[in-house]
Amino acid sequence: MSQSQPQPQPQPQSKSKSEQWQWENATAGAAAGFATVAAMHPLDVVRTRFQVNDGRLSTLPSYKNTAHAIFTIARLEGLRGLYAGFNPAVIGSTVSWGLYFFFYDRAKQRHSKNKEGKLNPGLHLASAAEAGALVCLCTNPIWLVKTRLQLQTPLHQTQPYSGLYDALRTIMREEGWSALYRGIIPGPFLVSHGAIQFTANEELRKGIIDLKSKDRKKDSESDDKLLQRPSSDGIPRYMDSWHVVKETARFEGVQGFYKGITPNLLKNVPAASITFIVYENVLKLLKMARRKD
């Protein structure tokens, strides 16, 4: 009796393609993150300094507006000042966007199992929010270090940290591991803007693709962080998230919650464009290279 061998190849092949697609998303996302932070970092420095300056710290200079801040930092601190905290920002953004697109794609695949591959806006929103929350957990220490490095100015008598590694080592030695996760509580709430952004991108992109061709379909996919404002001796002034809200309202009023909004808007609008343009083009190049192989 002859035994015919079944064909087990298609399933592993499909799985391999799926895994390859996820890593292509992660790679394209990492490239997009690097490009975005490299282009927009000076505005991120300005935004951070505006947000933490409540007028009670002598170690932070005062700026009249965004343009004045950029020119003042450039004049007093040079290019190095405009790119303060650049190393952790590049690492954080590259890792964050790489992980974000990876987690986002995984979540979409999981949600689409019983939806015949089609996701409604609600599931796109859930996938993006899930990815954002996971990224917050993974990258909070990097953003905390970036923020502290951005707040080092010539007005400091001594520079608390000499760089990324020194900052991590000093924080863990003097404040403990838990200090690296300060600001983590509001972090997941802050990913809502990214979730909305990704949902809008998905729906608009889907509409454009449907208009061009009914048969073709394809998937595509801050920190802003709660800022720990250090006192003059470097010890964080705030106990927790609610304490930040109360103290800001008490000393700065409603306008205190909107400090840095101008550089933030100037940064986020082009940053979103850069992120998606770089992501889509890198992903296209990776797919072309895969087809050639």
Side-chain angles (χ1 to χ4, degrees):
M1 187 168 79
S2 64
Q3 290 184 330
S4 60
Q5 201 77 10
Q7 293 181 318
Q9 288 86 357
Q11 191 174 351
Q13 222 171 19
S14 173
K15 186 177 178 181
S16 175
K17 283 183 179 179
S18 173
E19 290 173 354
Q20 188 176 21
W21 170 253
Q22 289 162 10
W23 285 112
E24 285 176 355
N25 276 288
T27 303
F34 176 83
T36 302
V37 74
M40 308 309 299
H41 190 75
L43 284 171
D44 189 54
V45 172
V46 171
R47 180 205 61 176
T48 300
R49 293 194 181 181
F50 268 122
Q51 287 180 333
V52 300
N53 192 352
D54 57 5
R56 294 183 287 164
L57 288 177
S58 60
T59 54
L60 289 175
S62 296
Y63 308 114
K64 296 176 183 176
N65 50 48
T66 302
H68 179 248
I70 291 173
F71 285 121
T72 303
I73 294 171
R75 189 180 75 251
L76 297 178
E77 304 172 51
L79 194 62
R80 187 172 183 177
L82 290 172
Y83 279 87
F86 182 69
N87 287 341
V90 165
I91 294 171
S93 186
T94 303
V95 172
S96 291
W97 280 111
L99 289 176
Y100 197 106
F101 280 105
F102 179 78
F103 289 141
Y104 181 57
D105 189 61
R106 292 295 294 268
K108 286 204 307 178
Q109 286 188 14
R110 190 173 65 254
H111 289 310
S112 66
K113 281 183 179 178
N114 300 321
K115 299 286 181 181
E116 298 179 353
K118 295 180 180 179
L119 294 182
N120 58 39
L123 289 176
H124 276 138
L125 189 66
S127 299
E130 178 184 323
L134 289 170
V135 168
C136 279
L137 291 173
C138 295
T139 60
N140 196 81
I142 302 174
W143 297 124
L144 181 133
V145 169
K146 182 214 73 167
T147 300
R148 296 210 181 174
L149 289 174
Q150 285 180 334
L151 297 179
Q152 292 187 152
T153 73
L155 296 180
H156 284 95
Q157 293 181 352
T158 58
Q159 296 290 311
Y161 314 115
S162 61
L164 172 60
Y165 176 71
D166 180 61
L168 284 170
R169 187 178 58 180
T170 303
I171 291 169
M172 286 190 290
R173 185 180 68 246
E174 297 181 357
E175 304 173 53
W177 281 89
S178 61
L180 294 174
Y181 281 90
R182 285 187 176 135
I184 191 66
I185 293 175
F189 295 101
L190 294 174
V191 304
S192 58
H193 77 284
I196 294 169
Q197 186 182 77
F198 269 71
T199 303
N201 178 67
E202 287 282 2
E203 295 305 309
L204 289 171
R205 190 170 181 276
K206 192 192 300 179
I208 292 170
I209 290 173
D210 287 344
L211 285 173
K212 288 184 176 180
S213 171
K214 295 289 183 182
D215 298 325
R216 285 187 62 192
K217 291 189 304 179
K218 59 179 178 180
D219 299 323
S220 82
E221 311 4 320
S222 345
D223 4 335
D224 296 332
K225 281 285 156 208
L226 167 69
L227 302 175
Q228 282 290 331
R229 302 179 189 174
S231 61
S232 56
D233 58 1
I235 300 172
R237 178 177 293 149
Y238 302 124
M239 306 297 182
D240 51 39
S241 301
W242 179 237
H243 189 219
V244 176
V245 174
K246 289 192 297 184
E247 288 292 290
T248 302
R250 177 186 171 193
F251 288 101
E252 304 170 65
V254 175
Q255 65 180 11
F257 294 102
Y258 291 91
K259 281 190 172 179
I261 192 170
T262 300
N264 198 37
L265 288 172
L266 291 173
K267 166 182 171 284
N268 283 342
V269 174
S273 301
I274 293 170
T275 299
F276 284 111
I277 288 171
V278 173
Y279 170 78
E280 293 289 352
N281 281 282
V282 171
L283 191 61
K284 191 183 296 182
L285 287 173
L286 291 172
K287 288 167 72 176
M288 286 172 60
R290 176 155 52 89
R291 287 197 193 103
K292 288 179 181 178
D293 293 339

